[in-house]
Amino acid sequence: MLSIPASRPNAYTGSPLDRAALRREDADWIAAALADPDTLFVPVWRSRSLMKGVPEGAPEAVLLTGAAAEAVRMAGGPWAFLGLWEGRPAFAVDCSQAEDPLPLLPEGMGAFTDLRAVAGLLPAGEASVLAHARGLMHWRTKHRFCGVCGHGCEPRSAGHVMVCTNCNAQHFPRTDPAVIMLVVRGDRCLLGHSQRFPNTTMYSTLAGFVEPGESLEEAVRREVMEEAGIAVGLVRYHSSQPWPFPSSIMLGFHAEGLTEAITIDREELRDARWFSRAEIRDPAAHGFALPRADSIARRLIEDWLAHG
């Protein structure tokens, strides 16, 4: 019952890029790509992505080339090679040092927007590339100093490694694994209302970060017990979703609930309940909302519902 396949890809997956990792160490090739007027640049400004069509509800990524890209690069922020998009080099470039980056660009280039607000409306490949650029630039801007000795770091490998100028320690982009799980018992599923949810009626799947020395299945069982007091038996993998907000990957599971009585961790949840399939099919009629359509939480719920 818990072996439920993913019905379709998750948001931020399906990247069109060939990451071409071997090119990162080819300094001459990188220099030529940076100077090529046809090279694509994905700008990031204070964790926001450049898009147009957002007010009309039809967002699309704006990628820079030529003079526009050079103007943004002159802001002096970090950059990194992302890969090849249909054979064209693509780089992320951070322009957060500019108080307002739009004057650096030609008119009509759109605006910098929170990717999470529109990801479900973007073409899948564009959402993936923008998420890739956002996550990598966040790491670059937050890891300027060595975590070993505290001295400054310099970028290497086309922006994918930071090397300490004092002790030569190498630092690589980090991705923090987090489990997210729909707990199922009989014909009902467990959803919680987090203390962090701005939407006061939304109930979602439980989730939490994997701890050191812990398997993914153990993390699922621990998090569910800690947050809701429910013992979990079988745990079955469903799918994953990059979540660079700022640096996670969500690992999705369906899990078997062995007990029914809920004991809430008030530090994490305001409420948790068992919901029937009928309630899930018509949440508005029962006074609650489900997670956003582009989230892996929603995908876990919908795929379980479809296999009932």
Side-chain angles (χ1 to χ4, degrees), residues 141-178:
T141 58
K142 299 299 182 183
H143 289 79
R144 295 178 298 154
F145 298 95
C146 179
V148 178
C149 71
H151 282 73
C153 291
E154 293 182 346
R156 297 286 188 274
S157 191
H160 286 261
V161 182
M162 296 295 282
V163 179
C164 178
T165 57
N166 179 61
C167 71
N168 293 319
Q170 294 184 334
H171 304 278
F172 298 88
R174 58 179 293 174
T175 297
D176 301 321

Side-chain angles (χ1 to χ4, degrees), residues 139-272:
W139 172 74
R140 284 291 310 277
T141 58
K142 299 299 182 183
H143 289 79
R144 295 178 298 154
F145 298 95
C146 179
V148 178
C149 71
H151 282 73
C153 291
E154 293 182 346
R156 297 286 188 274
S157 191
H160 286 261
V161 182
M162 296 295 282
V163 179
C164 178
T165 57
N166 179 61
C167 71
N168 293 319
Q170 294 184 334
H171 304 278
F172 298 88
R174 58 179 293 174
T175 297
D176 301 321
V179 291
I180 182 166
M181 46 276 175
L182 182 67
V183 181
V184 176
R185 180 170 169 80
D187 203 41
R188 297 187 297 168
C189 68
L190 178 69
L191 301 179
H193 179 63
S194 172
Q195 296 283 3
R196 299 181 297 276
F197 289 165
N199 182 335
T200 57
T201 64
M202 189 176 79
Y203 280 74
S204 185
T205 54
L206 305 186
F209 287 104
V210 180
E211 294 187 350
E214 187 174 50
S215 72
L216 300 180
E217 293 82 359
E218 289 167 344
V220 168
R221 296 186 180 103
R222 175 185 54 76
E223 283 288 343
V224 175
M225 177 58 71
E226 288 178 356
E227 293 191 3
I230 300 297
V232 165
L234 291 175
V235 176
R236 292 290 183 265
Y237 176 74
H238 175 269
S239 63
S240 63
Q241 181 182 42
W243 195 253
F245 307 107
S247 56
S248 299
I249 183 166
M250 308 302 295
L251 305 163
F253 297 88
H254 289 105
E256 175 192 22
L258 298 178
T259 57
E260 188 166 334
I262 298 172
T263 302
I264 296 172
D265 175 1
R266 294 292 178 183
E267 294 292 323
E268 295 288 338
L269 300 177
R270 294 181 182 176
D271 188 27

